[in-house]
Amino acid sequence: MMELNVLENHGGSRFERFFNLINLRFTRHEAWTLKAARRVPLLALFAFGTLWVWFFLPMIPFGILVVVLLEKAGIFGAILSMVLGIGALAIIAPWFFRWYFICAGLMIGRTNMAQLKEDDVSDRLERLMGPKSASESA
């Protein structure tokens, strides 16, 4: 019984806390990107480009797997690599195009999409930081 209370006090397993920390840092980076893009709208795409680090670094092992599949598995590896690539593209494309249209809108003076994204990001930040700030005030 005591072990369950200890886990509840720490907010879950180490694995969950690790992914919550990564999610919090990514959300903070998104907030910084929006702030930088609103400050200098003509360079908004460069601010958006900094978010790609969050996808390129974790994709390095995936890229190595694809190269090994292409070299060692023949046609089966090529088909599997294509399926994995299309799946990854289907996941990343909506995120990419939303950010692209936000930046393009800022570049021509439209701030509606940026404001909606900023509200979304601030809501996520409040949810991610909420339990921590509640425990600090108690």
Side-chain angles (χ1 to χ4, degrees):
M1 288 295 210
M2 190 56 118
E3 291 175 316
L4 292 175
N5 292 335
V6 170
L7 286 177
E8 288 176 0
N9 291 338
H10 292 300
S13 69
R14 289 183 186 188
F15 194 68
E16 290 172 358
R17 286 183 296 192
F18 176 70
F19 280 108
N20 286 339
L21 178 67
I22 289 175
N23 196 6
L24 177 64
R25 290 189 185 225
F26 177 71
T27 306
R28 285 181 179 167
H29 191 169
E30 280 187 315
W32 174 86
T33 301
L34 281 167
K35 184 178 177 182
R38 290 183 132 215
R39 191 177 320 131
V40 186
L42 290 176
L43 301 177
L45 287 174
F46 291 107
F48 165 59
T50 64
L51 289 174
W52 279 99
V53 171
W54 291 93
F55 292 100
F56 283 136
L57 291 179
M59 287 297 152
I60 290 173
F62 178 73
I64 293 170
L65 171 69
V66 167
V67 169
V68 169
L69 279 175
L70 285 172
E71 288 183 355
K72 303 290 184 195
I75 191 72
F76 176 72
I79 292 171
L80 186 59
S81 295
M82 182 182 70
V83 169
L84 291 173
I86 290 172
L89 191 62
I91 291 170
I92 292 174
W95 174 85
F96 171 81
F97 284 112
R98 181 170 184 199
W99 270 101
Y100 178 79
F101 289 129
I102 288 170
C103 293
L106 285 172
M107 290 168 72
I108 62 172
R110 298 180 138 193
T111 60
N112 295 341
M113 286 183 74
Q115 185 61 44
L116 290 172
K117 184 66 174 178
E118 194 171 330
D119 294 341
D120 178 46
V121 168
S122 64
D123 289 344
R124 277 191 288 147
L125 273 175
E126 286 178 16
R127 270 187 280 128
L128 289 169
M129 295 174 58
K132 184 178 178 183
S133 61
S135 65
E136 287 175 356
S137 63

